[in-house]
Amino acid sequence: MPFTTEEIKWFRRKVKTWAKTHLRDFPWRNTKDPYSILVAEFLLQKTDVNTALPLYQELMEKYPTIEVLSEAPLSELAAFFHPLGLHFRAKRLHKSALAIVEDYGGKVPNNEAQLLALPGVGKYTARALLANAFNRPLAVLDTNIARIFERFFGLRGGRVKSRDTLLWNSAQEAAPKTQVAVWNLTLIDFGAAVCTARNPRCSQCPLGEKCEYRAEASDRISC
């Protein structure tokens, strides 16, 4: 175990307190509909949320169900994804929609292995969908969350964070037993607002008291 039970409890308490007044509000966070969440996760892959939001709203208006999406021409769907600059994402979403309609009767699978078999669905997307739509107690790991764990706990993950076993295991271990979906979103927002990649807001960070990264920075300044 890379950290103690007391460290985890303190970490959770501080982050949850921060979330009470800072958690962001997006339409896909206010639904349990698996299809809506799946669409959002495809749009958010390597894409800024402010870019994804208007596209999500347009796409859900035009394709309100997975059946409607699966029947749409791929060229039409690709036009929605054009602003993202990643045309292959439209093709993968379309293939996934077809597979869900044909193989699962239009119901998004609630099984991680089945989700991972869909085009364009990786571990993060599968677990985010299971946590947000099906209340599964599964942690997720993106660059924001990986950065928080590496800095606060002093962990050293590999170059490709999304495949790092240590970071994935740490994220799951630190997650609470209930409301893991909200916890995942809290960490994502905390990494985007406070523990940023560049110029982190350490002076405003509620974790600063016990943060390894901040302690190391202080040591460098005092030397």
Side-chain angles (χ1 to χ4, degrees):
M1 185 168 70
F3 29 71
T4 68
T5 301
E6 288 305 313
E7 283 179 314
I8 294 175
K9 287 182 178 179
W10 189 89
F11 176 75
R12 286 179 188 157
R13 185 171 65 253
K14 290 292 185 179
V15 174
K16 285 181 177 180
T17 299
W18 177 87
K20 290 178 181 178
T21 54
H22 293 90
L23 202 61
R24 295 178 294 181
D25 183 36
F26 299 114
W28 53 82
R29 293 187 175 186
N30 298 315
T31 181
K32 290 292 183 182
D33 175 48
Y35 166 63
S36 300
I37 296 170
L38 180 67
V39 170
E41 290 300 333
F42 263 86
L43 288 172
L44 289 166
Q45 290 173 6
K46 299 181 180 179
T47 301
D48 178 80
V49 68
N50 294 321
T51 301
L53 178 57
L55 297 177
Y56 171 84
Q57 293 170 324
E58 290 179 36
L59 198 148
M60 292 306 297
E61 287 179 8
K62 189 170 182 66
Y63 311 110
T65 69
I66 199 164
E67 288 82 5
V68 173
L69 180 66
S70 69
E71 294 169 358
L74 177 56
S75 57
E76 184 179 278
L77 185 60
F80 275 91
F81 282 78
H82 181 71
L84 303 181
L86 298 170
H87 307 293
F88 61 84
R89 210 180 305 176
K91 185 175 182 180
R92 289 175 180 175
L93 176 58
H94 194 254
K95 283 187 173 181
S96 287
L98 285 171
I100 291 169
V101 170
E102 294 173 359
D103 300 337
Y104 303 105
K107 295 184 181 296
V108 177
N110 61 2
N111 175 279
E112 187 170 357
Q114 292 174 333
L115 287 171
L116 289 172
L118 296 174
V121 176
K123 188 173 181 178
Y124 174 91
T125 299
R127 286 187 158 224
L129 196 134
L130 290 169
N132 295 330
F134 300 106
N135 297 315
R136 299 291 175 79
L138 297 172
V140 298
L141 182 76
D142 71 349
T143 54
N144 280 328
I145 297 174
R147 186 167 59 251
I148 295 168
F149 278 84
E150 288 189 316
R151 286 178 175 173
F152 180 77
F153 293 108
L155 302 179
R156 295 292 179 266
R159 186 175 62 83
V160 183
K161 309 302 181 185
S162 62
R163 300 175 188 170
D164 190 272
T165 302
L166 171 65
L167 294 175
W168 270 106
N169 289 344
S170 298
Q172 186 62 53
E173 186 180 341
K177 302 300 180 184
T178 60
Q179 296 186 316
V180 178
V182 176
W183 171 254
N184 290 338
L185 298 176
T186 295
L187 289 180
I188 291 169
D189 287 1
F190 188 82
V194 181
C195 194
T196 54
R198 296 182 179 180
N199 302 316
R201 296 170 174 82
C202 294
S203 62
Q204 304 169 27
C205 181
L207 300 176
E209 180 185 338
K210 297 186 179 183
C211 178
E212 292 284 340
Y213 177 84
R214 188 168 183 181
E216 290 176 2
S218 298
D219 289 343
R220 287 194 297 269
I221 292 172
S222 62
C223 289

